[in-house]
Amino acid sequence: MEFIRLCILFCVLQRTHCSNTTVTFTTIDSHGSSLPNSSSLGASEITDAVKEASSQTAASLSNFSDPANTSPTQPTTTTSPTTTMTTSSNTTTLTLGSFLSMLINTFVSTATNSTTTANTTSPTTSKLPDSLLTMANKIPGGMGNSLLPLLMGGGSIDLETITRVLKSLVPQLPSILRGLTQSNTSGLTADERTCSEDVDTYLNDLVQGKMWALSMFDASGKPATSILEGATTFYGNFDECLDVISEVDQATGRQVKGDTCVVSILPPPQLLGMMGGGNGGGMLGAQPMTFNWHLCLPSSCGSRSVQGALQSRLSQVNLKVARVVCHAEIKSGPVSSDSAAVGAIVLTAILGCLVIVGSALDMSIRATKGRRDKVPVSPRIDAVRLTEICTTFNDSAETSVTNGNIDTNGLIWKPHLNFQNDGIDNPAGPKIQETNGAHFVYPNGGQQLRSADKQHDNKNKPKLAVWQRVLLCFSAVSNGEKILSVKRSPASITCLHGIRVLSIGWVILGHTYLYFIMSNAENPKAAMKLMQGFSFQIMINATLSVDSFFVLSGLLVTYLFLKETEKAGGLKVKHMILYYVHRFWRLTPTYAYLMFIYTFLLTYLADGPTWAGPYDKKNCEDYCWTSLVYINNVYKPDKQCMAWGWYLANDMQFYVIAPLALIPWALSSRRMGTTAGKVLKAVGVFVVLGYLICSVVTTASLTHKYNTDLFSNGALYFEKVYQKPWCRIGTFAIGMMLGYILHAMKQHEVKMSPFLQGVGWLLALVAAGACTLATYDANAEGRPGWGVEARTAHETLYRPVWGLVLAWVIFMCCKGKAGIVNWMLSWDWWQPLSRLTYGAYLIHLMFILTETSTARSLIYFTSGYIVYRFFGYVCMSYIFSFLLAILVEAPLLQLEKLVLS
């Protein structure tokens, strides 16, 4: 058993070197003879080796056993079945832990080639004062000899030096932990006394090789590979640590339980300056570089005790413990003790019950209607059976209906529709007749029931109570049919569905790359090198996907507003009231529900070494109201809840001021050809141009002032430029102008020669390439990067240019001149995915942030792996978006229709 423990400890403490080294042991019995095995070393050889090693490392072993004991020792060794060499009270004790500490020191020095003796000097160290040399020699693990000369200005400092220092900390961990124990506990608090006793128990049992103590040490992180590649987080085994529990102490009746503490160590200032750390710059304001060490310690030791013990040792080499986070201190209690979390569960349960009851009622009504329809309600009703409907649309929009034979099973309609699509003049194909349930209704033309028969049907139609109509709004059956339907709505612009889905995919892929590079990559240095590639610039500029949504939003708000006012015979006050009410109702309930779940319930749905809930939970509790009134991007922008909600704030703000152009345009439609009408049109155009000019001027001014972009001092750029409505309204204005043009030209055919079409597509392709790939000039390896003028020009122009490219594509699709592009973007199955993009946008970052915040290990960054994760996030986002639509979004929209009707 002792042989097994010895092998476990040896491989645990230096797991990264076991694969390259062959070591054999022989367990020694009490008589000094070797036990039967195939070992290549005899008992005497091991004993001699241990004696020699112990004499060479007496100081290290003395520190391990008792840091305060510095008296010389003369060990007298004996062998025992536990491989422990006992001595008198005045000599050094060579225990199993001591032997393993020597092995670790040997392998560390072999792996790093950093073995340094007290008598070794160099041109650099010889220049140091004697007092510093003395202190350097006293620092354990060779850390002093490695770092002190560098910190005094000599030598060179790099990550390899820091790597040697961090690896030298591993064999010193038991000695460091001795700092948590106190020989005199009279002045300690109860918690500090418990911590001291538990650490002492842990170290003693570790020396004796007890399995629970071995597991605790095994669960601690150890500096391993890829430090030079930027892997500065040393994960332990979080779940193994939480499972650690000692034997019951017979004297106190207590047990030592494991807990993970994450120690963040700041490197020396010279290294921070060399690597650009400490200034909050970089991608999205990345934090200063730290080494994060995951240690498994007794749960009774809090972060303050751990930080004090470590700082006392690390301060000797100018390393600073920035913070310590212990899981036991930040983890949430049971969900039942959190009234807000219980409220989120209850709310979800109520909505779920409404969906279940509404679906059951809907299915019951459908079944009753089906049975009633199988029986003729009156002998006077003509049993018209339509087996085929062939609809052809020509310039006069005439409809022909062909009657078929009677279906003997009852009134079953079998429509077959042949469509011809001629662009925006008929953007959704032919106008499909309205439907009621699964049956076609023909309000004009076709075969209709006689008025007497219709009156008879209406009289016998079941009347639904208000409460039934409300419950039907929550029917998952009806709402699911609407969400998943691929029928084209009349006068819809079908290419928008494809653009919307591809844009949300671009958003998710960009966030997947960004957060994995910033958080859990084992090789962030390689990831940064990938960002210098030509093709990767498409991901660098993935923020253009948000501008695509702004273009679509501006287009739809303009096109639909003008269409509705024209159908109503002019602009009315109720149009403006419903304009704002509908938008607020469309976005806010779903947004608020998800924010409620995110803030109070998500904390209990995940766990990890530093997981205490969403990183912005405090912001959500204090400032969620700013998001729900859509001012979070201008008021307290550094306190946002669900920071990606900045887009919704911008979109709502643009929606609020859009009528400054929409109202003149709507009024001009009643004054066609008059001077007043032309003036109103011009007013609307000038307002939109004003939005665009405002965006260009403010973006140029602020970018030039701060000389920043999203990947250079990104936090400042995000706060001052990226999320501000006066900087982002440009593409929304382009969408508004496009919507007005499409509405004004809906009855006009665009005549354009093939040559002009080809030139237009070529220019659009070149412009799109410039928007997405031009940053290669700044990011490529060996390039000096852009100056303030070039950066300002790029940030000012590339978003409006992208908006113009997208406007060209949509315009050509609407006019039936986009060929295969329109065919791809108008694919029917884009429609259900398009309806779910709002929920997918809100949800996808919850998955990404939760996974990266609860990570148990590093991941090796490759593009293939990121794309693999991306498809997982897309699938999960859309699945939960569908559930969100069934639970909240669709029912509330149906309630709105019910109230307004």
Side-chain angles (χ1 to χ4, degrees), residues 58 75 100 153 178 277 280 282 352-353 366 391 446 449 454 482 484 617 660 665 672 704 828 838 865:
L100 292 173
R178 281 291 181 189
C353 290
R366 291 183 182 216
T391 308
L449 296 177
K454 289 193 292 183
K482 293 183 179 73
L484 301 177
K617 181 177 181 179
L660 295 178
W665 281 339
M672 298 294 293
H704 188 274
D828 286 342
Y838 176 50
Y865 178 82

Side-chain angles (χ1 to χ4, degrees), residues 89 370 628 654:
S89 59
L628 298 180
F654 300 158

Side-chain angles (χ1 to χ4, degrees), residues 677-688:
K678 294 179 181 179
V679 170
L680 288 171
K681 287 182 182 179
V683 169
V685 171
F686 280 121
V687 169
V688 172

Side-chain angles (χ1 to χ4, degrees), residues 215-227:
S215 297
M216 181 172 284
F217 197 92
D218 179 38
S220 291
K222 300 159 187 72
T225 61
S226 303
I227 297 179

